[in-house]
Amino acid sequence: WFYKKFTEDDRWSSALLMGIMIAALAYSKFHGALVVLFIVLSNLRLLKNPKFYVACLLTLALIAPHLWWQYQHDWISFRYHLDGRTRDFEYSFVTEYLLNLFAIFNPFLFLLYMYGIFRLRCDGASYIFLKGWWKTKGHTPVLRALNCISAGFILFFLASTTRGYVQPQWEIPATFGVIAVLYLFTQGRERLRRYIVRVGW
């Protein structure tokens, strides 16, 4: 709802609220930057929206004290995330990541999510993930953003397994896109909907 309001509403109050929300994401976890990055990638028209830059400036102003603290302490937590976690590559990092992924999203639902990503039809338009899904007509900016976040987090942290162990909870932002795909994929498929409800429980 808010993302739609931000992209379609002419009032500047939504830009201020978005700036506060992005700053809160940044303060809660550095991975919040990935959420913002994948939202922008899902809708590049945001880069033409002056409200987006107002939101970014407000975010910068709100996180400036934290950045100043980081500067005074030689960027200690940034360096830890960039170098401190790095370990020699082990195949177990990849296998554990994939097993955790299936466990987090329920193995009986995650495979369906992967299938749904390729086959989902929304408003009569084919949802083809690897062939320009962000351009597909009939999809809302919110749906595109949710799915870009989900796919982005899964692929980003899969790539991160080359540097070390990936914590399972880092995938939590991907949950919302998985739920959206499963929900839309069950529309008009009653047997599939019943299966998802049972397996979900």
Side-chain angles (χ1 to χ4, degrees):
W1 168 83
F2 182 75
Y3 182 75
K4 182 178 180 182
K5 182 179 177 63
F6 178 76
T7 53
E8 296 177 2
D9 196 343
D10 290 334
R11 289 177 293 186
W12 287 88
S13 57
S14 61
L16 300 178
L17 188 54
M18 183 62 84
I20 293 168
M21 292 170 70
I22 295 172
L25 267 175
Y27 273 116
S28 65
K29 197 76 173 168
F30 289 139
H31 299 150
L34 292 176
V35 173
V36 178
L37 173 67
F38 293 135
I39 287 174
V40 172
L41 287 176
S42 74
N43 187 1
L44 294 176
R45 284 182 294 180
L46 282 172
L47 299 175
K48 296 180 180 178
N49 188 336
K51 289 192 296 181
F52 174 73
Y53 295 100
V54 170
C56 290
L57 287 173
L58 178 58
T59 298
L60 188 61
L62 291 173
I63 64 171
H66 177 65
L67 294 176
W68 179 249
W69 182 90
Q70 288 282 355
Y71 170 74
Q72 289 180 317
H73 293 85
D74 196 27
W75 306 98
I76 186 167
S77 56
F78 285 113
R79 286 191 297 107
Y80 171 70
H81 285 291
L82 293 174
D83 294 326
R85 292 180 181 271
T86 303
R87 292 164 56 185
D88 291 335
F89 176 74
E90 296 177 23
Y91 286 105
S92 63
F93 294 149
V94 179
T95 55
E96 283 184 48
Y97 172 75
L98 294 174
L99 288 171
N100 283 332
L101 207 59
F102 278 89
I104 291 166
F105 295 114
N106 186 331
F108 301 105
L109 293 179
F110 190 71
L111 289 173
L112 190 60
Y113 161 74
M114 297 300 291
Y115 179 71
I117 271 257
F118 289 96
R119 294 297 304 271
L120 182 65
R121 293 179 180 276
C122 179
D123 296 334
S126 295
Y127 184 90
I128 304 175
F129 178 67
L130 293 177
K131 295 183 179 179
W133 61 269
W134 55 88
K135 298 176 183 176
T136 305
K137 292 181 180 178
H139 292 92
T140 66
V142 174
L143 179 61
R144 287 197 307 269
L146 285 172
N147 287 297
C148 193
I149 290 169
S150 295
F153 265 78
I154 290 168
L155 295 174
F156 178 85
F157 287 113
L158 177 61
S160 296
T161 59
T162 60
R163 300 179 63 244
Y165 178 73
V166 173
Q167 298 288 335
Q169 69 271 17
W170 295 347
E171 293 293 335
I172 289 173
T175 304
F176 304 104
V178 171
I179 292 170
V181 167
L182 289 174
Y183 173 76
L184 289 168
F185 193 46
T186 59
Q187 301 303 294
R189 297 176 172 93
E190 186 58 28
R191 287 180 61 190
L192 188 59
R193 189 192 68 80
R194 287 198 301 269
Y195 166 80
I196 287 177
V197 169
R198 286 195 198 105
V199 171
W201 279 109

